Amino acid sequence: MDAIASELLEPVPAGKPGQRRIKQHLWPDPDFRDVGVRGDLSEFDGVRTAELTSFPGELEERTFIDVVAEVMGRRMAEDERIVVLGEDVHRLKGGTNGATRGLAEAFPDRVLGTPISENAFAGLAGGIAIEGRYRPVVEFMYADFMWVAADQLFNQIGKARHMFGGSGDVPLVLRTKVAMGTGYGSQHSMDPAGIFATAPAGASPHPPRPSTTSA
């Protein structure tokens, strides 16, 4: 294992003893980032943007999770189709992460606390999205729980548009917390990025306008 790691890693310059980083020549060329991307970003037509250096308004530091909760609240007020499903999302001051803070009080019929049953409520959300009248936002407490719902996420939700010939969208947002390195235990601390990199993307070419961020 040490020999394999030495092929990939190098000491961090001026870093702490034992601190290592991926060798710089192994990082992909940034120009490769758009290779294979089929979208044309038309979903952002008409969206107002600004660069940080030229933004004329006031700036303030905010925690990421507070912004997620506020964006969810604003979007739910604008779009009554959005519903939230997940364990404890309706209590504990915004679930275990705080991403749903204030939503249960503002939208009691659209923030649905679920049993510990990721496969069940992910599948329910997938059916809701395919049916088309609602826009479900699913929260998993930890990324590891995606394996519990793997069939629904990767075989059903992720492939639905392909299975039905692109005849309908599947406007579903999945949000979770990657907690590696935080000491929550072996079933709560994995990073699923590699799994998603090899799984089919089921996103609509025109997803619901603020898909909340997966983190």
Side-chain angles (χ1 to χ4, degrees), residues 157-175:
I157 296 168
K159 298 176 181 177
R161 292 184 67 245
H162 171 74
M163 291 291 291
F164 295 104
S167 59
D169 294 337
V170 188
L172 184 148
V173 173
L174 173 64
R175 182 181 59 237

Side-chain angles (χ1 to χ4, degrees), residues 13 18 40 66 91 109 116 151 189 203:
D40 60 3
D66 285 344
R91 58 184 180 179
D109 296 331
I116 302 176
D151 180 57
S189 303

Side-chain angles (χ1 to χ4, degrees), residues 91-170:
R91 58 184 180 179
L92 303 179
K93 296 181 180 180
T96 56
N97 303 320
T100 56
R101 186 177 295 116
L103 301 186
E105 294 79 12
F107 313 101
D109 296 331
R110 293 160 54 198
V111 179
L112 313 175
T114 68
I116 302 176
S117 54
E118 284 81 8
N119 195 50
F121 67 78
L124 172 62
I128 291 172
I130 292 171
E131 196 275 339
R133 285 181 292 175
Y134 293 93
R135 301 289 186 264
V137 175
V138 174
E139 178 178 302
F140 286 170
M141 283 186 181
Y142 297 98
D144 306 59
F145 301 165
M146 292 182 193
W147 276 258
V148 180
D151 180 57
Q152 294 294 343
L153 293 176
F154 301 116
N155 272 335
Q156 309 303 329
I157 296 168
K159 298 176 181 177
R161 292 184 67 245
H162 171 74
M163 291 291 291
F164 295 104
S167 59
D169 294 337
V170 188

Side-chain angles (χ1 to χ4, degrees), residues 19-189:
Q19 189 176 11
R20 295 181 292 178
R21 68 181 186 184
I22 295 174
K23 292 181 177 179
Q24 295 301 290
H25 72 275
L26 295 177
W27 288 100
D29 186 337
D31 291 337
F32 186 75
R33 65 185 181 275
D34 293 332
V35 172
V37 175
R38 292 175 291 177
D40 60 3
L41 299 182
S42 59
E43 64 268 29
F44 292 105
D45 288 347
V47 174
R48 184 166 55 95
T49 63
E51 296 295 333
L52 179 62
T53 54
S54 59
F55 179 66
E58 296 183 6
L59 298 173
E60 62 177 304
E61 289 192 8
R62 302 292 307 281
T63 63
F64 180 80
I65 202 65
D66 285 344
V67 173
V68 169
E70 289 183 12
V71 169
M72 281 297 302
R74 185 171 69 250
R75 288 293 295 131
M76 292 183 75
E78 295 172 350
D79 190 342
E80 63 182 14
R81 298 173 299 174
I82 297 175
V83 295
V84 181
L85 299 87
E87 296 157 13
D88 291 332
V89 294
H90 61 311
R91 58 184 180 179
L92 303 179
K93 296 181 180 180
T96 56
N97 303 320
T100 56
R101 186 177 295 116
L103 301 186
E105 294 79 12
F107 313 101
D109 296 331
R110 293 160 54 198
V111 179
L112 313 175
T114 68
I116 302 176
S117 54
E118 284 81 8
N119 195 50
F121 67 78
L124 172 62
I128 291 172
I130 292 171
E131 196 275 339
R133 285 181 292 175
Y134 293 93
R135 301 289 186 264
V137 175
V138 174
E139 178 178 302
F140 286 170
M141 283 186 181
Y142 297 98
D144 306 59
F145 301 165
M146 292 182 193
W147 276 258
V148 180
D151 180 57
Q152 294 294 343
L153 293 176
F154 301 116
N155 272 335
Q156 309 303 329
I157 296 168
K159 298 176 181 177
R161 292 184 67 245
H162 171 74
M163 291 291 291
F164 295 104
S167 59
D169 294 337
V170 188
L172 184 148
V173 173
L174 173 64
R175 182 181 59 237
T176 190
K177 174 173 66 178
V178 177
M180 51 192 263
T182 54
Y184 285 109
S186 59
Q187 293 183 345
H188 299 73
S189 303

